[in-house]
Each structure stands twice: as structure tokens, then as C-alpha cells.
Amino acid sequence: MTKKSLAELAAAFASKASGESQNTSGDQTWKLFYPFWKAAVDTVTTVRFVPDADPENPLDFLVEHHTHELVINGKREKVPCLKMYGEACPICELSQKYYDEESPDHNKTLGKKYYRKKSYIGAVIVIDSPIEHNQEQVVKLIDFGPKIFGQITSAFASGDLEEKPFELEGGYNFRIRKTKPGEFADYGTSSFAPKQSNVAPELLDKMELYDLKQYRTPYVERSVLEAMLLADQNGGSVVPQYGAKAAGEATPAADKVAAEPAVKPAATPAPAAEAAPAPAEGERKLSAVEKLRARQAAAQAAAE
């Protein structure tokens, strides 16, 4: 695979910003996430983004995460937006119908209720934290909204970045600033540090990467999602079983309706593997990111 340049990565973020182109279920999965939102107002959390284990990810260090919220059995549930998996989504279709002013069912409140929520999942090393966290876990997942994503996109558009921010040598730390100008917390003043820096060498040996798409809300069949939507609308008590679909895989057979949702097992980072061999004379020297991805791929292959 050809390594993406900074300009190519900037173009990928620009296309996402223009609109082109979790139920991260289970306690064990959520323990992998760093809860930056718990920080006090007017504090700064400093993190360093690290790359996706998947080198084919066009954004390299983030994946989009699209969900809807339904109330089933009296409990608020996050369910996947099927557009995230390249399929038509019945909840989006219902939302559009409610937003349509020409429709006899026009209801802006319900349109907003069923409109999809967008966030972004990445992985970070926590450099400086105003809250307690598991420091044994070197790389943590992070899930944030459009405000922080907008600041990242603006940084690419500004031309101020001289290197891809997630590079382990010469990248940039990211400062998450929490303010509260009104009723809700705001992260719109977050930014990359102005100077480049290197990740500490002792951390590189401990780092493991995540395949970020595996931590989005698990896939469900359209028929199952329609049953969940019906339960939300009618106060039903049946919760369909979650299925699973990785990006690029064929759609699995429809899941049967069950009394409780089956939790998709949390993916775990691959065990440490030997460092990638040194390049032969005349070959291009691998970057720290490429070495880490190669190490991860070798570990995964050995585990399989």
C-alpha cells in the first residue's frame, strides 16, 4: 500500500467536512475508552492521536460513527445507522419523512428525535489528564463529536500542520479544552499544539493499535432494526438480537428476535510481536507508524 501524504490526508478530511464521500457495546469495550468529558469545566486534556491499525482507512486515525437513539423496554439504546455500513437506513427514512414539510406526517420534533447522531472514534495516548485513568493502558479509544472534529479539519485546512498529526515522530499533541459558555459543555476551542513533538521511545514498545471500525455500534439487519424502531414507537418489550458485519463483508443472515440484545465481543489489541526487520540497503526506511502497523499485522497473523 502506498503511504498517504499529508496533502492526501488533508483532502480526505476536507471531503468529510463538505459532506462527501457506538453502541460500542458492553462494559469491557467501554473500559477501553478515555472519558475526557468527565473533566471539569475550564480544564485542558492533552492527548496524542495514534494511527488506525487499518492502513486502508482514508482518514488514517479516525472513523465516522453514526447512530440513532431508541427507547426500548423503557431504556435508551444506541442502535447503528445502517448508512454507516453502506445500506439504506429505515430510521433515517422515517426522520426524513417527519422533516418533510409536504408530508401529512410532518413533525419536526419527531424528525429531530430520529435523526442520526454523528461522532468520531479514534485512539490516543493520554499525555496530560485532569482526571484519573488507567495508566497501564497506553493506547485508549476516544469518541467525540463534530465540534472537536471541526477543529481537526480546520487545522488541516489552515496549512499550519507540517506533518500528519498522528505521526509518532514529528507529530502534534492535541489539546481538548472544555468550556461551558451556556447550558452545555463545549469543545470548540480545542486545538493541536503549535509545535511538533515525538512520542517517548519507551511508549513505542508498549503500544498496540486498534482497528477502529470494530468499535462502532454493531451492525444489525434492516429487518431487525425495523423491529427495534417499531418497539420504540409502540412501547414494545421485545429487543432484537444484534448481528455483526465488518466493513467489506457480505451481509449476514437475518438475526432472530431475542429477549435481550447479544453483545458483540469487544475486539482486543493484538499481542506484542517482534519489531519489523530493518530495510535492506537501498530500500526506503519505514516510519515509526509503518513499523508499528507492520508489527501489529505480524502479531495478528501469528494469532490467527
Side-chain angles (χ1 to χ4, degrees):
M1 188 205 71
T2 303
K3 180 182 178 183
K4 286 191 287 294
S5 67
L6 175 60
E8 289 170 328
L9 184 59
F13 271 82
S15 69
K16 288 296 183 185
S18 67
E20 297 175 19
S21 287
Q22 126 188 143
N23 185 347
T24 40
S25 314
D27 292 341
Q28 293 306 312
T29 300
W30 276 114
K31 287 178 182 178
L32 300 176
F33 282 78
Y34 172 68
F36 67 91
W37 60 88
K38 291 183 179 180
V41 174
D42 296 325
T43 59
V44 176
T45 300
T46 302
V47 300
R48 179 63 160 262
F49 286 106
V50 300
D52 192 344
D54 179 8
E56 301 301 326
N57 178 357
L59 294 184
D60 256 336
F61 67 104
L62 297 175
V63 293
E64 285 189 337
H65 184 211
H66 298 163
T67 59
H68 297 278
E69 289 188 354
L70 301 177
V71 177
I72 304 172
N73 290 344
K75 181 180 178 182
R76 190 172 298 276
E77 298 277 356
K78 265 189 180 179
V79 300
C81 174
L82 293 189
K83 287 184 177 181
M84 182 168 63
Y85 291 100
E87 298 181 12
C89 177
I91 304 180
C92 284
E93 293 165 0
L94 180 62
S95 176
Q96 290 167 1
K97 183 178 74 171
Y98 282 133
Y99 269 123
D100 183 2
E101 295 183 358
E102 303 300 320
S103 169
D105 298 315
H106 173 63
N107 186 317
K108 189 174 180 179
T109 299
L110 289 177
K112 183 177 181 180
K113 172 187 174 181
Y114 291 114
Y115 194 77
R116 70 178 180 176
K117 279 72 176 175
K118 181 186 291 187
S119 66
Y120 301 84
I121 295 175
V124 298
I125 299 171
V126 180
I127 306 297
D128 186 35
S129 174
I131 60 174
E132 293 293 326
H133 64 100
N134 177 14
Q135 299 190 33
E136 295 300 315
Q137 182 189 340
V138 176
V139 179
K140 297 176 172 63
L141 293 168
I142 189 170
D143 189 353
F144 54 84
K147 279 288 184 74
I148 290 178
F149 181 78
Q151 294 301 98
I152 293 172
T153 302
S154 295
F156 279 107
S158 71
D160 292 338
L161 298 178
E162 297 183 7
E163 181 56 272
K164 288 178 284 188
F166 62 84
E167 288 290 352
L168 306 175
E169 298 171 342
Y172 295 84
N173 290 340
F174 189 78
R175 300 171 298 194
I176 303 173
R177 291 189 177 90
K178 181 177 182 179
T179 62
K180 195 174 182 182
E183 183 180 355
F184 303 105
D186 187 272
Y187 299 94
T189 56
S190 301
S191 64
F192 285 108
K195 294 183 179 180
Q196 295 169 259
S197 60
N198 298 337
V199 172
E202 60 270 20
L203 293 180
L204 296 180
D205 293 335
K206 300 177 182 178
M207 287 177 58
E208 300 295 342
L209 302 181
Y210 293 96
D211 185 347
L212 297 176
K213 63 181 176 292
Q214 299 298 329
Y215 294 89
R216 301 182 302 184
T217 302
Y219 172 83
V220 298
E221 289 281 350
R222 181 185 175 100
S223 59
V224 175
L225 193 59
E226 288 174 339
M228 298 174 84
L229 177 58
L230 190 62
D232 171 270
Q233 293 178 299
N234 299 334
S237 59
V238 175
V239 180
Q241 179 179 343
Y242 284 94
K245 179 183 179 183
E249 290 184 357
T251 301
D255 296 303
K256 295 181 179 180
V257 172
E260 296 292 340
V263 175
K264 178 182 177 183
T268 55
E274 296 296 326
E281 186 175 352
E283 290 184 3
R284 181 177 67 83
K285 183 180 178 181
L286 297 178
S287 70
V289 167
E290 290 172 312
K291 289 178 182 177
L292 186 55
R293 277 176 167 159
R295 188 182 79 188
Q296 190 90 3
Q300 186 66 35
E304 293 174 352

